[in-house]
Amino acid sequence: MNKFRYNKINIALSMILSSMMVSTAAYSADENSSTSESNKNQAQNKTNSKVQTETIVVMGDKEKGTTFRPKSVTMGPLGEQNLHDLPYAATVFNQDMLEDRQITGLDGVLKYDSSAQMEARGGMDVGRPQTRGVEGSVVANTHLDGMNVVATTAQPIELYQRVEVIHSLTGALYGSATPAGNFNYEFKRPTLDYLNNVNVGLDSNGARKLALDLGGTPYQHLGYRINLIKEQGAGYVSGSQIDRKAVGLAFDIYATDQTTIELNGSYYRYKKYGFPGSFSYTVSSGLPSAVDPTKRGYGQSFAGSDLETTTGSFKVKHDINDTWKFEAGMLGQKVDRTMTSPTNTINGDGTFTQTVSTQKVARRFKLISNEARFNGNFSTAGIDHQMTVGTTGYDWKNYSVTGNSGVSRYTLGSNIDLDDPQQADSPTFYTDGDYSLASKTITQSGILGDLIQFNDQWSMLLVGSYSHFDTLNSSSSDYHDDGVSSTESVMYKPLTDTMTYVAYSDTLEAGQVVTDTDYDNYGETLAPYRSRQIETGVKQSFAGMDANLALFRIKRPLAYASNNVYQVQGMQRNYGLELGLNGNVTSQVKVMANGTWLDATLTDAFSESAENKRVVGVPRFQANLLAEYDFIDLPGFSVNANVHYVGKRAADADNDIWVSAYTTLDLGAKYITRRFYGKKMTVRLNVTNVTNERYWASVFPSTIYGNASSGGSAFLGDPLQANLTTSIEF
């Protein structure tokens, strides 16, 4: 066992002992403060009762306390819906879930969803999220409070009270998108009671964290929520550093009894240097077994990511009457990305070549997105309707850096022993320059939907969207097109707690711009692609548990060049089965379990040898089991364990190279006392990858259409780490 790992385990053990000491002290203090706490609670209840009679509004986390059995999900223009009654497969992570696992990034969320993957691209922090094995989009598949945001930047999970992942095609609900599912974040909202939470944390690498979560409704017409986060320190590689700071502001203005105005703003600066870079490989070189990510040299202390994201939004929500509601909002976001991560190119003889380059393309994103909708309930001839009329869209600008002087790509070392990576001196980077507009995409969709309830057993969901595309590319002419996406579903309840459904969905995504001057159709933008899905499923609730099963087939068109013309001619075809089980097994045992079988293959591939072969980086089997046990003899104390399994994955289009399956184990403990000197205190300890498994967290191809001669890229998974936090509410 190397010295670094030995020190890490010592720190983890020290954190466990510290947690036990704090828990014991807090438990001892319970009896000394019970009387004063009881009196305080009685007084507070009277105050709360008075406030609630004056302001009838739902604030804060909508489902706090339902960590293992979420009941609702937000479905774009349909608004908040009962998860059990929808013809969609979805996974919802609420605030309890996110806080208890101490999750700070989206990759930490997705491992609890067996249908989701992260296509890392620039790293796990800036990857493209996807479900059901389909590559995601930079903007179209990701939303904040229902409005489009940039996916390929670090996500400040501590600022969100919910993360919702919809596996099914959502073009009818959100407008044009890839069939990669949808990812929606919900910003933390003001609380009714005063919230003053201070959270301090320490991890096994030595990084320290301080976070403040403040909320309340000091006036009848105004509520606030303020989140401040600062984390800084060493990473798991010697010489690595992480520096995170975030500010989140949310204000709710209750203009009238029927009208609420939401104002939100956030700033997130994320710096991460010295961690392993990407590993690039070819068909001839192959991809070796995962190496030790803690070794210094797969990354460099001067290389990494600097991501800066500024977001502002507003919404107006108005109850027109008892049956009709109106909502409209707009969001603006600016993302600056400076990435100088190393690329480790595998040579195939046990060595690699390391290069580092400054990023010029996609350095800045500017995004303005919007949504507006009317929702109403009415009945005709004894049939109930939930009608939706709305619109959603975005204006996305992509900037590159021009005017840089000097070299932007450097070779740091050649023929380096893969088991003995080397440190290198920092070259002179040229990261400054003028920003120029590289591309601009504008899309706006009109949406019409109706959830029809015929009787207690039969219902139907019909949703359609009409989308208009405008694309401007610096190397081609303007492009305009439009099209329709739709969803048609039939639901049947044979029993009160059982729902079955059959659904058809199709979704458009904007066609690609032909930017290669060697092709005969250079400058052309292809017509929008239409992906299709058929899904059937059943959802069952019983004895404190929710179970779901979904079967689906997805077909997605792919474009590539042949006969010197770039055009749509390939197809990705995915068959799959999803299983999920959430809730309370007993009064002490809770579980969140899911598993996915997925057959993702290419047809009409670029290379004949890749025909009907598995899609690169998509496992056939993936599963996750999270279980928590509450101790009766020590109220407030619980332990949890999470087992995450990813099956073997193809690493090249011909399926000659494979990445081994892996399993990771996480362990955790939590203690809550409400009588720590009159304050509520929560101590959380989480140890991830307890067995220190070495694995490739993300593998993805250079091209997605089945070019057998192309290779791919891979990113390493994180090693054993521990994290201890203590939060106190004043």
Side-chain angles (χ1 to χ4, degrees), residues 59 84 131 134-135 138 219 221-222 378 438 464 664 673 679 709 722:
M59 299 180 233
H84 180 77
T131 68
V134 181
E135 184 184 60
V138 175
Y219 306 104
H221 297 289
L222 177 66
F378 61 92
T664 59
T673 175
K679 312 299 179 183
S709 63

Side-chain angles (χ1 to χ4, degrees), residues 413-432:
S414 301
N415 300 318
I416 306 169
D417 188 335
L418 192 59
D419 293 324
D420 187 24
Q422 302 296 311
Q423 300 177 51
D425 295 329
S426 175
T428 301
F429 290 110
Y430 295 89
T431 57
D432 297 328

Side-chain angles (χ1 to χ4, degrees), residues 411-451:
T411 298
L412 301 179
S414 301
N415 300 318
I416 306 169
D417 188 335
L418 192 59
D419 293 324
D420 187 24
Q422 302 296 311
Q423 300 177 51
D425 295 329
S426 175
T428 301
F429 290 110
Y430 295 89
T431 57
D432 297 328
D434 297 327
Y435 285 98
S436 64
L437 182 64
S439 64
K440 179 179 180 179
T441 300
I442 302 174
T443 179
Q444 193 70 34
S445 303
I447 301 169
L448 178 64
D450 191 6
L451 179 57

Side-chain angles (χ1 to χ4, degrees), residues 623-636:
N624 198 85
L625 170 61
L626 171 64
E628 183 172 285
Y629 180 81
D630 296 325
F631 286 85
I632 295 179
D633 295 335
L634 185 56

